[in-house]
Amino acid sequence: MKKAKADFLAFSYYSSWVLSSNKIPEGEAPNRYLNKGGVESKYVKTNDWGWAIDPLGFRNAITTMYNYYRIPIFPIENGIGLKETWDGEHMIEDDERIAYHRDHIKAMKDAIFDDGAEVLGYLGWGLIDIPSFHADMEKRYGAVYVNRSNHDLKDLKRVPKKSFYWFQKVLKDNGDEL
């Protein structure tokens, strides 16, 4: 193990968090700071679950890790959970998801081309709607809607959202036009 060397660093990024030192009890373990001292930032938008939408934080994470370790960085999870329902007929217009990924991909490109970070790729969280970390289908991340709820399987039909077609275009032109 001593001789092993990492070829790259992979990380997950969804949002940034702000800590208030006034809310952290004396003697609290650092790994519990967010539980006690986490507060919403007044400078960035949040989703329905209070997660800060912060592409600049994403860029900073990439650049900071690359500058410190000097090995390629690979964002392997990046996405936004949104509440979405399908009316059975019309396309889901998930412009907020498109904006999230557009802004985060742009921030990644800035980390690469302006800051000099080496990045291997970019992965979102799930192409199709899959249960979130807390097994919640109401919190949807995918570009393809799965017709079900937390407790009703419905017909499980897969329906491309507007972001599905946006991602197709971004992949086709290698992110040149976001």
Side-chain angles (χ1 to χ4, degrees):
M1 290 295 284
K2 280 184 176 181
K3 294 180 183 179
K5 182 179 183 287
D7 296 329
F8 64 92
L9 287 175
F11 76 106
S12 300
Y13 184 94
Y14 293 91
S15 70
S16 62
W17 298 90
V18 176
L19 290 175
S20 170
S21 62
N22 297 333
K23 294 184 174 218
I24 301 171
E26 184 75 28
E28 187 70 38
N31 64 327
R32 308 280 300 161
Y33 284 1
L34 192 55
N35 296 351
K36 304 286 184 168
V39 296
E40 276 194 25
S41 172
K42 60 184 177 182
Y43 301 106
V44 295
K45 284 179 38 179
T46 59
N47 72 357
D48 289 329
W49 290 268
W51 289 29
I53 300 168
D54 186 6
L56 185 56
F58 183 57
R59 175 183 178 177
N60 185 53
I62 292 169
T63 300
T64 299
M65 285 189 290
Y66 180 77
N67 287 343
Y68 187 82
Y69 293 103
R70 290 293 180 190
I71 58 176
I73 306 301
F74 191 3
I76 58 167
E77 283 185 29
N78 182 240
I80 183 170
L82 301 173
K83 290 182 180 178
E84 297 167 325
T85 57
W86 181 50
D87 65 7
E89 184 179 341
H90 299 94
M91 181 185 304
I92 294 172
E93 303 280 334
D94 57 339
D95 293 324
E96 192 173 354
R97 177 171 293 104
I98 292 169
Y100 177 94
H101 285 285
R102 180 194 63 234
D103 294 348
H104 281 74
I105 293 170
K106 169 76 171 87
M108 179 181 66
K109 289 174 71 173
D110 290 345
I112 295 166
F113 297 114
D114 295 342
D115 304 341
E118 187 178 345
V119 176
L120 295 178
Y122 175 85
L123 295 176
W125 171 240
L127 172 63
I128 66 170
D129 286 338
I130 54 180
S132 72
F133 175 73
H134 297 286
D136 184 5
M137 280 303 296
E138 305 307 318
K139 188 178 190 182
R140 296 176 178 270
Y141 288 90
V144 176
Y145 185 86
V146 178
N147 193 32
R148 65 159 293 175
S149 69
N150 281 332
H151 304 290
D152 183 359
L153 292 180
K154 301 182 182 182
D155 63 6
L156 296 173
K157 183 175 183 174
R158 273 61 168 170
V159 181
K161 302 174 191 177
K162 184 177 179 181
S163 62
F164 176 86
Y165 301 103
W166 179 83
F167 275 118
Q168 272 188 331
K169 183 184 174 312
V170 169
L171 290 169
K172 185 177 181 179
D173 69 18
N174 198 31
D176 289 338
E177 289 187 42
L178 297 173

